[in-house]
Structures are given as structure tokens and as C-alpha cells.
Amino acid sequence: MTHPKPTIAFNILNGAATQLPQLHQLSDAGAGQDLMHLTPTRDSELIANGSALTPFPSPPQPTPLTAKGLLDNGGISPAVLTRGMLNRLHQAGHNIEFRSYNFQVQCPQPGSSDWFADCQHHGGLEADCGDLIQQRLLPDLTAQAERGCISILAECGVGGTTFSTLWLRLLTGLTLSPAGSTKDADKLAQKARLLAQLEQEYRRAHAQFDVEALLASPQFHDQIQRALYGLLCHWPASLPVPHLAGGMMFVAPLIAAARVRPDLRGRVDTTRWVVAADGQSVLSHLPADWRLGLHQTDFGLSDFDCLNRYEQGLVVEGCGLGGVLVLAEELGLDANDIITTLEQACTRHQSQFQ
């Protein structure tokens, strides 16, 4: 008798650090000036529907590459690749559920979720963040664990790596360079200046890491950090923690939450590129009962330039791609299957712009 394959519940935390000025000068992850806050919303629509439904205001207009479905660095959005991999797992016999939790960013439009068994969006611009965590996020994810789902928790945050780097500096004592998806020298310099300013302002009043002080001021955190920290601190000890599919945006609040909940154990699944540079030293600070999973598939096997950009370190993390790749490899998909799936996802996406 063949047993049904477990449902894969893919959940994503969306947020934008709108309190940071000139977000487009800090990251390559969005569509450009005055459009960055729409990235999490549109990425969730890409995963759920195959196309972004929330329009850009006119003006401003997206950059030329973004208008063609690419990032400014020539890469393809990780949301496109995450959708492709989830679709491949659906074809392998898994039911796929999708949930987005939107913290002070526009809620995605529903669209058509076609092969998803269930697709829901919660929160939005006016949502109370505490209520969204306690009344939606925590109950939904605990219900997934109780049903025996493979529960994945991802993130799409714009600008939040500035805050995660601040937290990690305070937590580890390491002198960390700014993290995130850019190698642009001007953007990195701007990010470094902002980070130094934030750290100096924090240390004027606090000698060491104080999570309550950080969460008390929007100057020192974003809502994704608040959401993950709150989720872990209130997680039922009897249930398995969701697979955390995120890089530095998740590692910082995880290390902080482990001080309050040392009883929890789980896994952080992310891309190989996250451990480059400072990433390796940070991940060595993961709590002892937490496991790190890194995908092995080499994007250099592809002839697609937009995928090769990932191996060049130009797109480091986002939209749970690393976590979905790790899961796909664990479920038996080989590198050729994965690369073919990713190339098909790129072709389908870019055909919309021809």
C-alpha cells in the first residue's frame, strides 16, 4: 500500500524596513527608488500566482532590467525559482499550501493559485503586528505541525539585513560587514555608514545586547525579526519547529530567542552563498541543538546567465529558496532535475515580458 506524501506548507514573512531612508541605495533586491516596499508583496504574488499582480505606481517606473523580470544585477528573483521548485514538488506528489504574513506592507492580491492546495494572505499595511503574530502566525504554524506537514518558514524583507547585522554584532561580538544581496561598492559603503550610526546610537544607552530595548524602538529592528523572535519564544515545546528557510535575517532573532527558549531545537536551511565571507563565522554561533542545512546544487551547471549570477554571489538569499532546495535534495531530486526545473521557471517567467 502506497502512503500519501506529506503536505508541504510554505509560509513566508513579508516586511520592508521603511524607516530606513533611500532603501534603493542599500540593496539590489527591489525594483528601484520609491518601489522597494512593494518587493515582498509582488514576490509573494510571483510564488502564489506566477506573476506579480500589484502594479507599480506611475511614476516612478521600474528599472529596465526589472521591467524584463530580472533584478538590477541581472539575476532572476528567487521568488520565481521558489515557485518553480514548489511546483516540481507538487508534481512529485506533495500537496502544497501557501501562506503569506504581511507586516506593514501591502497584502498580496489573491489571483489564481492553480496547483496550490490552499493559498492565503494575511496582514497588510494597517495590520497590528502583535495580533498578526499571536492570532494568525502562531496558530497557523502550530496547526501545520499538528497535522504532520513539512512546515517551511521563509522571509522576504527589504532592508532588514541592516538590522540583522546590527543584532549579530551585538550578539556575537564579531565585527561583521553589511550582509545582503549586493556587491555594489556604493551601496555597501552606504550600508556600512548606516550600520555604524545605528550601532553607535544603540551603545550610547546599552552596554550589551538587550532584545527588549531593540524591539522597543523601530530604529533598531524590523517586523520580521519581531515575528520570528515572538514565534520561537511562544512555540509549544511538544511540537517540531518549522524548517527556518532564511539566512542572516533569521539567524539573528533565532540566536536571541535561544536565550529565552534553550529547550527548542530545529534547523536552519539556506543557500550555500550565505556562508561566504562573514556568514561562516556567524553560523558557528547557532545554538547547539540547531542544525544548518545548505543546498548542494551548483547553479553553474546552467547555461542561463540569470542563474549563474547566484554562483557569483550577487543574489545571496530570499523567499525561502535555499530551504526549498535543501528539502528538494532531501526528497531525492538530483542536480540535473533541479537545474532543469529552475531553467523552466525562468523561461516561463520571462516569456511574460516578450
CSV table of all heavy atoms in Angstrom, one decimal, residues 113-135:
chain,number,residue,atom,x,y,z
A,113,SER,N,-4.3,30.6,-7.7
A,113,SER,CA,-3.2,29.8,-7.1
A,113,SER,C,-3.1,28.4,-7.8
A,113,SER,O,-2.3,27.6,-7.3
A,113,SER,CB,-3.5,29.6,-5.6
A,113,SER,OG,-4.7,29.0,-5.4
A,114,ASP,N,-3.8,28.2,-8.8
A,114,ASP,CA,-3.8,26.9,-9.6
A,114,ASP,C,-3.5,25.7,-8.9
A,114,ASP,O,-4.3,25.1,-8.2
A,114,ASP,CB,-3.0,27.1,-10.9
A,114,ASP,CG,-1.6,27.7,-10.7
A,114,ASP,OD1,-0.9,27.2,-9.8
A,114,ASP,OD2,-1.2,28.6,-11.5
A,115,TRP,N,-2.2,25.2,-8.8
A,115,TRP,CA,-1.9,23.9,-8.3
A,115,TRP,C,-1.7,23.9,-6.8
A,115,TRP,O,-1.4,22.9,-6.2
A,115,TRP,CB,-0.6,23.3,-9.0
A,115,TRP,CG,0.5,24.3,-9.2
A,115,TRP,CD1,0.7,25.0,-10.3
A,115,TRP,CD2,1.5,24.6,-8.3
A,115,TRP,NE1,1.8,25.8,-10.2
A,115,TRP,CE2,2.3,25.6,-8.9
A,115,TRP,CE3,1.8,24.3,-7.0
A,115,TRP,CZ2,3.5,26.2,-8.3
A,115,TRP,CZ3,2.9,24.8,-6.4
A,115,TRP,CH2,3.7,25.8,-7.0
A,116,PHE,N,-1.7,25.1,-6.1
A,116,PHE,CA,-1.7,25.1,-4.6
A,116,PHE,C,-3.0,24.5,-4.1
A,116,PHE,O,-4.1,24.9,-4.5
A,116,PHE,CB,-1.5,26.5,-4.1
A,116,PHE,CG,-0.1,27.0,-4.2
A,116,PHE,CD1,0.3,27.8,-5.3
A,116,PHE,CD2,0.9,26.7,-3.3
A,116,PHE,CE1,1.6,28.3,-5.4
A,116,PHE,CE2,2.2,27.1,-3.4
A,116,PHE,CZ,2.6,28.0,-4.5
A,117,ALA,N,-2.8,23.6,-3.1
A,117,ALA,CA,-4.0,23.0,-2.4
A,117,ALA,C,-4.7,24.1,-1.6
A,117,ALA,O,-5.9,24.0,-1.4
A,117,ALA,CB,-3.5,21.9,-1.5
A,118,ASP,N,-4.0,25.1,-1.1
A,118,ASP,CA,-4.6,26.2,-0.3
A,118,ASP,C,-3.6,27.4,-0.4
A,118,ASP,O,-2.4,27.2,-0.5
A,118,ASP,CB,-4.8,25.8,1.1
A,118,ASP,CG,-5.6,26.8,1.9
A,118,ASP,OD1,-6.4,27.5,1.3
A,118,ASP,OD2,-5.5,26.8,3.1
A,119,CYS,N,-4.2,28.6,-0.5
A,119,CYS,CA,-3.3,29.8,-0.6
A,119,CYS,C,-4.0,30.9,0.1
A,119,CYS,O,-5.2,31.3,-0.2
A,119,CYS,CB,-3.2,30.1,-2.1
A,119,CYS,SG,-2.1,31.5,-2.4
A,120,GLN,N,-3.3,31.5,1.1
A,120,GLN,CA,-3.9,32.5,1.9
A,120,GLN,C,-2.9,33.7,2.2
A,120,GLN,O,-1.7,33.4,2.3
A,120,GLN,CB,-4.4,32.0,3.3
A,120,GLN,CG,-5.4,30.9,3.2
A,120,GLN,CD,-5.9,30.4,4.6
A,120,GLN,OE1,-5.7,31.1,5.6
A,120,GLN,NE2,-6.4,29.2,4.6
A,121,HIS,N,-3.4,34.9,2.3
A,121,HIS,CA,-2.5,36.0,2.6
A,121,HIS,C,-3.1,36.7,3.8
A,121,HIS,O,-4.4,37.0,3.8
A,121,HIS,CB,-2.5,37.0,1.4
A,121,HIS,CG,-2.0,36.4,0.1
A,121,HIS,ND1,-0.7,35.9,0.0
A,121,HIS,CD2,-2.6,36.2,-1.1
A,121,HIS,CE1,-0.6,35.4,-1.3
A,121,HIS,NE2,-1.7,35.6,-1.9
A,122,HIS,N,-2.3,37.1,4.8
A,122,HIS,CA,-2.8,37.7,6.0
A,122,HIS,C,-2.0,39.0,6.3
A,122,HIS,O,-0.8,39.1,5.9
A,122,HIS,CB,-2.7,36.8,7.2
A,122,HIS,CG,-3.4,35.5,7.0
A,122,HIS,ND1,-4.8,35.4,7.0
A,122,HIS,CD2,-3.0,34.2,6.7
A,122,HIS,CE1,-5.2,34.2,6.8
A,122,HIS,NE2,-4.1,33.4,6.6
A,123,GLY,N,-2.6,39.9,7.1
A,123,GLY,CA,-1.9,41.1,7.5
A,123,GLY,C,-2.1,42.2,6.4
A,123,GLY,O,-3.1,42.3,5.7
A,124,GLY,N,-1.1,43.1,6.3
A,124,GLY,CA,-1.2,44.2,5.4
A,124,GLY,C,-0.7,45.5,6.0
A,124,GLY,O,-0.1,45.5,7.1
A,125,LEU,N,-0.9,46.6,5.3
A,125,LEU,CA,-0.4,47.9,5.8
A,125,LEU,C,-0.8,48.3,7.1
A,125,LEU,O,-0.1,48.9,7.9
A,125,LEU,CB,-0.7,49.0,4.7
A,125,LEU,CG,0.1,48.9,3.4
A,125,LEU,CD1,-0.6,49.9,2.4
A,125,LEU,CD2,1.5,49.2,3.6
A,126,GLU,N,-2.1,48.1,7.4
A,126,GLU,CA,-2.7,48.6,8.7
A,126,GLU,C,-2.8,47.5,9.8
A,126,GLU,O,-3.3,47.8,10.9
A,126,GLU,CB,-4.1,49.1,8.4
A,126,GLU,CG,-4.2,50.2,7.3
A,126,GLU,CD,-3.3,51.4,7.6
A,126,GLU,OE1,-3.2,51.8,8.8
A,126,GLU,OE2,-2.7,51.9,6.7
A,127,ALA,N,-2.3,46.3,9.5
A,127,ALA,CA,-2.4,45.2,10.5
A,127,ALA,C,-1.6,45.5,11.7
A,127,ALA,O,-0.5,46.1,11.7
A,127,ALA,CB,-1.9,43.9,9.8
A,128,ASP,N,-2.1,45.1,12.9
A,128,ASP,CA,-1.4,45.2,14.1
A,128,ASP,C,-0.4,44.0,14.1
A,128,ASP,O,-0.8,42.8,14.1
A,128,ASP,CB,-2.3,45.1,15.3
A,128,ASP,CG,-1.6,45.1,16.6
A,128,ASP,OD1,-1.1,44.1,17.1
A,128,ASP,OD2,-1.4,46.3,17.2
A,129,CYS,N,0.9,44.3,14.3
A,129,CYS,CA,1.9,43.2,14.1
A,129,CYS,C,1.8,42.2,15.3
A,129,CYS,O,2.0,41.0,15.0
A,129,CYS,CB,3.3,43.8,14.1
A,129,CYS,SG,3.6,44.9,12.7
A,130,GLY,N,1.5,42.6,16.5
A,130,GLY,CA,1.4,41.7,17.6
A,130,GLY,C,0.2,40.8,17.4
A,130,GLY,O,0.3,39.5,17.6
A,131,ASP,N,-0.9,41.3,16.9
A,131,ASP,CA,-2.1,40.4,16.6
A,131,ASP,C,-1.8,39.5,15.5
A,131,ASP,O,-2.2,38.3,15.6
A,131,ASP,CB,-3.3,41.3,16.2
A,131,ASP,CG,-3.9,42.1,17.4
A,131,ASP,OD1,-3.5,41.8,18.6
A,131,ASP,OD2,-4.7,43.0,17.2
A,132,LEU,N,-1.1,39.9,14.5
A,132,LEU,CA,-0.8,39.0,13.3
A,132,LEU,C,0.1,37.8,13.8
A,132,LEU,O,-0.1,36.7,13.4
A,132,LEU,CB,0.0,39.8,12.3
A,132,LEU,CG,0.3,39.1,10.9
A,132,LEU,CD1,-1.0,38.5,10.3
A,132,LEU,CD2,1.0,40.0,10.0
A,133,ILE,N,1.0,38.1,14.7
A,133,ILE,CA,1.8,37.0,15.3
A,133,ILE,C,1.0,36.1,16.1
A,133,ILE,O,1.0,34.8,15.9
A,133,ILE,CB,3.0,37.6,16.1
A,133,ILE,CG1,3.9,38.4,15.2
A,133,ILE,CG2,3.8,36.4,16.8
A,133,ILE,CD1,5.0,39.2,15.9
A,134,GLN,N,0.3,36.6,17.1
A,134,GLN,CA,-0.4,35.8,18.1
A,134,GLN,C,-1.7,35.1,17.5
A,134,GLN,O,-2.0,34.0,17.9
A,134,GLN,CB,-0.7,36.6,19.3
A,134,GLN,CG,0.5,37.1,20.1
A,134,GLN,CD,1.3,35.9,20.7
A,134,GLN,OE1,0.7,34.9,21.1
A,134,GLN,NE2,2.6,36.0,20.7
A,135,GLN,N,-2.4,35.8,16.7
A,135,GLN,CA,-3.7,35.3,16.2
A,135,GLN,C,-3.7,34.6,14.9
A,135,GLN,O,-4.7,33.9,14.6
A,135,GLN,CB,-4.7,36.5,16.2
A,135,GLN,CG,-4.9,37.1,17.5
A,135,GLN,CD,-5.9,38.3,17.5
A,135,GLN,OE1,-6.6,38.5,16.5
A,135,GLN,NE2,-5.8,39.2,18.5
